[in-house]
Amino acid sequence: MFRVLIIGYVWPEPRSSAAGSRMMQLIEVFLARNWQITFASAAQLSPHRADLTALGIAEMTVALNCDSFNNQVHQLQPDLVLFDRFFTEEQFGWRVEAVCPNAIRVLDTEDLHSLRHARELQLKQQLAAAPAGSPYYALPPATNASVTDAVQWISHSDTGLRELAAIYRCDLTLMISPVEMELLQQGCGVPASLLHYCPFLLDEPPVAEGSDFAQRQDFLSIGNFRHQPNWDAVLCLKNTLWPAIRAQLPKARLLVYGAYPPPKATALHNPREGFIVAGWVDDAAAAMRAARVCLAPLRFGAGLKGKLIEAMQNGTPSVTTPTGAEGMHGQLPWPGAIADNNADFVNQAVALYSDPGQWQQTRDRAAVLLREVFPRPALTAALQQRLDDLIADINGQRQRNIVGSMLRHHLHKSHQYMSQWIAAKNRG
C-alpha cells in the first residue's frame, strides 16, 4: 500500500481557517486513492481540529529538534511526504531525506508567505510616505505591485529566500494561486516542472440557495484572529470603515466572527456602535447565509481567501480589495464589489446592503465563477496525474533539479547541525 506522511505546522482546523480546509481537501484526494495516511505535528492538540482518526488517518505527535522523529519516520517508511509550509520543510526535510531518501517530497505553500510579508512592508512604507499624522488604519490597501517589484522584495528578504530554497529542495510544490505561479516562474525563474497549480477543490453544488435579500440582515466579517491580515482588517473596520458605513446605515450591525479572538479583539465589542465581536462560530456557513453582505477589507495578504469562497457558496455578496480577490475570479465579474480605496469600499458596502436589485445581480455571479474557476473533478484529476507522473519518474525529476540538489547538500547541513546542536543541548 502506498504510504503518505503529512507533516503539519498545526493540526488541520477546517472550521477555523482556509489552510485547514485546503489540507482536508488534499487528504480527501489521497483517501480516494486508498493511500494510507499518517498526519504528524509538533503542535499541541487544538479544540477545533478535524477528527482525523474517524477518517482512518493515523495521528503521530513529533518533537522539534529531536532524533526521535528520525526513528518514527524510519519505522513508517513513507512513499510520499507532504510538508504543509516552507518552515515545516526546513525543520523536517533533511531528517526525512536522511532516513527515507527515496520518499517523494511535496511542499504545499498554502500561500506565499514572502509575498504576504512584502505587501505588509509596502503598507508600512505607504504610511511612512503619507502626511504626518495620517492614521495607519485609514490607509488604503497595499497596491498590487508588479511582478518585478514583488520579486525585488522577495529576493531581498530572509523569508523569500528561505521559501524559494524550500521549493527547490522539494520534488513538487503545490500552488494555490495563479498569480503566485506567475510570480515564481516569470519573476524568480522557478522551473514549471517543480510547480503544480492546485487551488481549492470545491464540491458541487457550488452555491447554496440560502435566503433572499429581505430575509437577511447584518454585515459579516470572518477570519482567524491569529492571521495578521485578518486582524489588520478588523482594525480597519473598527477605526475607519465601519464608522463611515454606520453613518449612512445607523441601524446596521457588523458581526465579527473568527477563531481564537484575543482580549484585544473582544475589547473592541461595542453594541451601541453596532460592532459585535462574536468570536468563534460553530457553523460558519449558517452565519454567512444569515448575513446580507460579507466585508473583507484585506490590505495585504497572499493566496486565496477561504472566507470569500464561503461567501460565494452561501449566496452572500462580498466587498473586498484587489488583494482579497486576487487569483480568485480570472476575467469574470466579482460576486459583490472590489474596492481599491476606503471611500469606494464604504459606498459599495452601503449600496449592496441597501439595493435588492444590485444585491441579487452580484450574488448570481457566484455560481458561474465557482464552476469555471474551481472545477473539482478536473483539478483533482490533474493533481492525481501529476503525482503519478512524479512517482514514475522521481529519479529523472531529481536529476533535472540540479539547484535543488545543491541546496539540499548545503542548506540541509546548516539546518542539520543547528538541530543536532539543540538536540544535544536538550539532552543535557
Side-chain angles (χ1 to χ4, degrees):
M1 179 176 289
F2 195 84
R3 296 179 294 274
V4 175
L5 170 63
I6 302 174
I7 307 177
Y9 173 64
V10 294
W11 300 94
E13 297 186 10
R15 296 190 299 159
S16 299
S17 68
S21 297
R22 154 75 160 191
M23 178 55 68
M24 296 307 297
Q25 291 163 8
L26 294 178
I27 285 174
E28 290 170 4
V29 173
F30 299 156
L31 288 174
R33 308 201 71 180
N34 294 316
W35 288 355
Q36 180 179 311
I37 304 173
T38 299
F39 195 101
S41 180
Q44 293 183 343
L45 299 179
S46 55
H48 305 311
R49 68 193 183 98
D51 186 357
L52 298 178
T53 57
L55 299 174
I57 298 170
E59 296 181 344
M60 185 168 76
T61 301
V62 297
L64 301 175
N65 302 306
C66 184
D67 292 341
S68 62
F69 175 86
N70 298 48
N71 297 329
Q72 290 171 295
V73 176
H74 179 73
Q75 293 178 7
L76 190 62
Q77 287 295 307
D79 299 293
L80 184 149
V81 178
L82 175 70
F83 306 98
D84 75 341
R85 289 166 176 83
F86 79 89
F87 41 83
T88 309
E89 188 276 338
E90 283 183 337
Q91 173 68 222
F92 296 107
W94 68 270
R95 291 184 179 274
V96 169
E97 185 171 14
V99 295
C100 296
N102 296 324
I104 295 168
R105 296 180 292 273
V106 178
L107 172 64
D108 183 32
T109 58
E110 302 291 351
D111 61 38
L112 276 182
H113 291 61
S114 52
L115 179 59
R116 184 192 337 139
H117 292 164
R119 286 174 171 164
E120 185 175 9
L121 174 62
Q122 181 190 9
L123 195 63
K124 293 177 180 178
Q125 290 174 342
Q126 290 177 201
L127 177 63
S134 297
Y136 177 66
Y137 293 107
L139 287 176
T143 56
N144 284 340
S146 67
V147 169
T148 302
D149 290 338
V151 169
Q152 285 294 316
W153 291 328
I154 291 172
S155 63
H156 287 81
S157 73
D158 176 73
T159 301
L161 295 176
R162 288 168 56 197
E163 196 162 31
L164 284 171
I167 289 170
Y168 272 103
R169 285 195 297 264
C170 288
D171 300 309
L172 185 67
T173 293
L174 305 181
M175 302 299 302
I176 203 168
S177 167
V179 173
E180 295 172 9
M181 287 277 289
E182 177 186 358
L183 173 62
L184 289 178
Q185 291 181 73
Q186 297 185 16
C188 301
V190 177
S193 60
L194 295 180
L195 306 174
H196 180 73
Y197 172 59
C198 182
F200 293 133
L201 307 174
L202 306 178
D203 289 319
E204 295 281 355
V207 180
E209 286 298 326
S211 52
D212 62 19
F213 178 90
Q215 295 172 300
R216 292 174 177 240
Q217 62 180 352
D218 300 329
F219 291 90
L220 173 148
S221 172
I222 189 168
N224 191 318
F225 283 94
R226 291 177 175 174
H227 190 53
Q228 189 58 33
N230 291 339
W231 174 236
D232 179 84
V234 170
L235 291 176
C236 283
L237 285 165
K238 175 68 175 181
N239 291 291
T240 302
L241 300 171
W242 182 245
I245 293 172
R246 196 106 190 294
Q248 299 186 53
L249 299 171
K251 294 184 179 181
R253 297 194 310 166
L254 171 62
L255 306 181
V256 181
Y257 294 105
Y260 306 109
K264 63 182 179 181
T266 54
L268 303 178
H269 179 76
N270 191 327
R272 290 183 61 187
E273 297 176 356
F275 196 91
I276 311 299
V277 180
W280 171 259
V281 58
D282 287 326
D283 191 340
M288 190 69 76
R289 286 193 297 271
R292 189 176 291 176
V293 177
C294 172
L295 302 179
L298 296 163
R299 299 197 299 173
F300 61 93
L304 305 183
K305 314 306 182 292
K307 61 178 68 63
L308 297 176
I309 289 289
E310 196 158 40
M312 297 181 213
Q313 290 176 314
N314 291 284
T316 307
S318 60
V319 184
T320 189
T321 63
T323 294
E326 182 180 81
M328 296 185 66
H329 64 111
Q331 302 301 314
L332 296 172
W334 186 254
I338 300 172
D340 61 4
N341 63 75
N342 292 336
D344 190 32
F345 191 100
V346 170
N347 291 335
Q348 294 285 4
V350 171
L352 275 174
Y353 195 84
S354 307
D355 186 339
Q358 182 176 342
W359 185 89
Q360 187 65 49
Q361 181 184 38
T362 58
R363 175 191 179 182
D364 291 343
R365 299 170 182 169
V368 175
L369 189 156
L370 290 173
R371 186 168 55 249
E372 294 194 14
V373 179
F374 303 98
R376 179 164 187 154
L379 292 169
T380 299
L383 174 60
Q384 291 176 335
Q385 186 60 57
R386 188 66 183 273
L387 292 175
D388 285 343
D389 293 343
L390 186 61
I391 293 168
D393 187 34
I394 185 59
N395 292 329
Q397 171 77 335
R398 290 178 177 174
Q399 289 172 4
R400 292 185 291 270
N401 184 15
I402 298 175
V403 174
S405 298
M406 178 181 65
L407 290 172
R408 287 198 306 275
H409 175 75
H410 290 286
L411 294 185
H412 273 344
K413 290 298 182 184
S414 64
H415 293 304
Q416 174 184 345
Y417 295 147
M418 176 59 72
S419 184
Q420 288 177 335
W421 179 82
I422 295 172
K425 185 173 181 291
N426 290 339
R427 288 195 295 268

